[in-house]
Amino acid sequence: MDKISRIKDKMRELLTLKRYNHTLGVEKVAIELAHHYGADINKVRKGALLHDCSKQFTLTRMHELCDCDETIKTYGHLGELLHGFAGSVYAREEFGITDEDILNSIRYHTIGRRGMSIVEKIIYVADAIEPSRTHEEVQTIRRLAYENIDEAIIHEVDRKMEFLIKKEAIIHPNTVDMRNWLLHNRK
Ligand code: DGI
Ligand code: FE
Ligand code: FE
Ligand code: FE
């Protein structure tokens, strides 16, 4: 069995059916975007399939796994913020992923970062626009994804930040820093 099939089998075990279907949706969109932008299909597929691999773990397990950053340590155990960090460690340990670009695409898929690679951008956007996402803005972000991926990320991060502000949630500095970086380099 090839590596991709093995990852898929394991994801089916690790995730709920809904989350597994989301993962396959992210894989599909990520492959399309990789073709569109000439990115490495193999890297993008692995990043897509593994991006939420730790999502069903308990907070304690996530925290044990993750080599999380200072912000997450400071503000405590936010599962939404931890699962990318924990997931990248799990992907290395359980699936032998050593490629830093794939690992970063998992690590930063929720919060992004300044200087993201095309593989990281594709996973970030594919996560937001895969077929089962139905929020109001998704059509616009889908269109932008193929026109200018940076604009798609700006649109998505604006939506995310509005949502986080309404919830009075802690905003990770990467979320803001990635947005500033994209705005600063806007063409
Ligand atoms: O894991 P998924 O549901 O597929 O998607 P995701 O990894 O993008 O997670 C989305 C969630 O993460 C959503 O509920 C908002 C939350 N999130 C993203 N950025 C931040 C954040 N939560 C906090 N508190 N702060 C952030 O900066
Ligand atoms: Fe996620
Ligand atoms: Fe931690
Ligand atoms: Fe996801």
Side-chain angles (χ1 to χ4, degrees):
M1 203 180 352
D2 70 1
K3 187 138 186 183
I4 296 281
S5 318
R6 198 176 78 78
I7 295 174
K8 279 192 187 173
D9 282 354
K10 184 79 193 206
M11 285 306 119
R12 206 183 294 117
E13 285 170 28
L14 277 177
L15 303 174
T16 61
L17 185 59
K18 190 167 171 230
R19 180 67 51 185
Y20 181 66
N21 287 332
H22 159 71
T23 297
L24 295 184
V26 175
E27 182 200 20
K28 178 175 176 286
V29 174
I31 290 171
E32 287 164 9
L33 287 169
H35 279 295
H36 188 77
Y37 288 104
D40 187 317
I41 307 282
N42 192 45
K43 284 189 194 190
V44 154
R45 274 189 99 177
K46 288 178 183 161
L49 289 172
L50 290 165
H51 81 284
D52 276 338
C53 68
S54 83
K55 192 83 180 187
Q56 248 70 54
F57 294 170
T58 61
L59 269 177
T60 310
R61 174 109 193 263
M62 278 186 219
H63 201 260
E64 280 164 6
L65 271 173
C66 87
D67 52 348
C68 62
D69 71 0
E70 283 307 315
T71 307
I72 294 174
K73 281 188 196 136
T74 306
Y75 296 117
H77 297 178
L78 298 169
E80 289 301 330
L81 294 183
L82 270 176
H83 76 279
F85 288 85
S88 72
V89 174
Y90 191 78
R92 187 193 289 273
E93 289 177 357
E94 281 298 311
F95 298 96
I97 305 289
T98 53
D99 183 288
E100 288 299 328
D101 203 14
I102 300 174
L103 293 173
N104 283 335
S105 76
I106 301 168
R107 190 175 173 88
Y108 296 110
H109 82 268
T110 308
I111 57 176
R113 67 176 180 123
R114 168 182 296 271
M116 289 161 101
S117 72
I118 187 65
V119 171
E120 291 171 73
K121 288 177 181 177
I122 286 172
I123 302 305
Y124 188 95
V125 169
D127 191 26
I129 65 171
E130 59 89 9
S132 74
R133 301 280 198 209
T134 54
H135 58 79
E136 264 176 34
E137 296 295 313
V138 79
Q139 307 253 30
T140 308
I141 303 170
R142 278 190 189 125
R143 175 177 55 76
L144 288 172
Y146 291 88
E147 282 173 15
N148 181 333
I149 197 163
D150 289 1
E151 293 300 319
I153 297 175
I154 292 168
H155 209 92
E156 168 63 10
V157 76
D158 282 1
R159 191 187 75 80
K160 240 179 207 174
M161 284 177 66
E162 281 168 22
F163 163 82
L164 292 169
I165 288 167
K166 277 198 197 109
K167 280 207 315 182
E168 298 186 349
I170 286 162
I171 296 181
H172 192 283
N174 273 36
T175 303
V176 179
D177 198 42
M178 170 184 70
R179 182 173 182 274
N180 287 344
W181 172 67
L182 292 169
L183 289 178
H184 184 72
N185 293 304
R186 208 172 206 176
K187 297 206 178 64

